[in-house]
């Protein structure tokens, strides 16, 4: 699978300014600990989420196929243009139903590995902001 489009955003408020600089690394450490200490993902919940994703996708295809297809093509063009150069890769990448079916058969360990690889061990970008004194 190509998970280049995976991203997430965390927001924190009420953090003392003196602790802002260490917040990002602490958050990544906590996420890492959560994945490492969680040998058993809630597989019923994962399968339910996959089923909901499939149903939403199918409904979206029924209602607005051209829009869904053009969005997929645009995302590939921006994030993974090599997929569009190879018809076999494009066909495989477009077969989201098969991907969801395969993901439904994954083990808890495979989900932990995926989380570690794409949420913990990736480079991160941290934006720190402090309110101005004028705002109170």
């Amino acid at each position: 699978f190509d998970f280049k489009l995976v991203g997430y955003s965390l927001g924190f408020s009420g953090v003392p300014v003196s602790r802002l600089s260490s917040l990002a690394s602490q958050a990544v450490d906590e996420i890492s600990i959560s994945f490492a200490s969680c040998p058993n993902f809630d597989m019923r919940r994962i399968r339910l989420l996959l089923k909901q994703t499939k149903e939403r996708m199918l409904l979206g295809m029924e209602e607005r196929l051209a829009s869904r297809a053009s969005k997929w093509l645009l995302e590939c063009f921006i994030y993974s243009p090599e997929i569009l150069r190879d018809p076999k890769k494009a066909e495989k990448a477009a077969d989201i139903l098969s991907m969801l079916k395969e993901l439904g058969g994954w083990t808890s360990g495979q989900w932990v590995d995926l989380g570690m690889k794409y949420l913990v061990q990736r480079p991160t970008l941290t934006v720190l902001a402090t309110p101005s004194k004028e705002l109170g």
Side-chain angles (χ1 to χ4, degrees), residues 80-136:
S80 304
E82 68 278 0
I83 288 175
L84 298 177
R85 291 186 200 107
D86 183 342
K88 291 210 182 289
K89 282 185 183 178
E91 184 178 342
K92 184 177 179 184
D95 190 2
I96 297 169
L97 293 177
S98 292
M99 180 183 72
L100 291 173
K101 184 177 180 181
E102 183 176 333
L103 290 173
W106 274 21
T107 66
S108 179
Q110 288 172 295
W111 285 104
V112 170
D113 291 345
L114 180 77
M116 291 297 288
K117 181 176 181 180
Y118 287 98
L119 299 177
V120 176
Q121 299 168 345
R122 289 185 87 170
T124 60
L125 171 68
T126 304
V127 177
L128 299 176
T130 57
S132 66
K133 291 182 182 178
E134 293 81 31
L135 292 176

Side-chain angles (χ1 to χ4, degrees), residues 1-6 71-86 89-90 93 118 122:
F1 299 117
D2 183 358
F3 289 102
K4 290 181 182 177
L5 302 179
V6 172
K71 180 179 183 236
W72 180 82
L73 283 169
L74 184 59
E75 287 174 347
C76 283
F77 179 77
I78 293 170
Y79 299 108
S80 304
E82 68 278 0
I83 288 175
L84 298 177
R85 291 186 200 107
D86 183 342
K89 282 185 183 178
Y118 287 98
R122 289 185 87 170

Side-chain angles (χ1 to χ4, degrees), residues 19 27 53 132:
R19 301 202 49 210
T53 299
S132 66

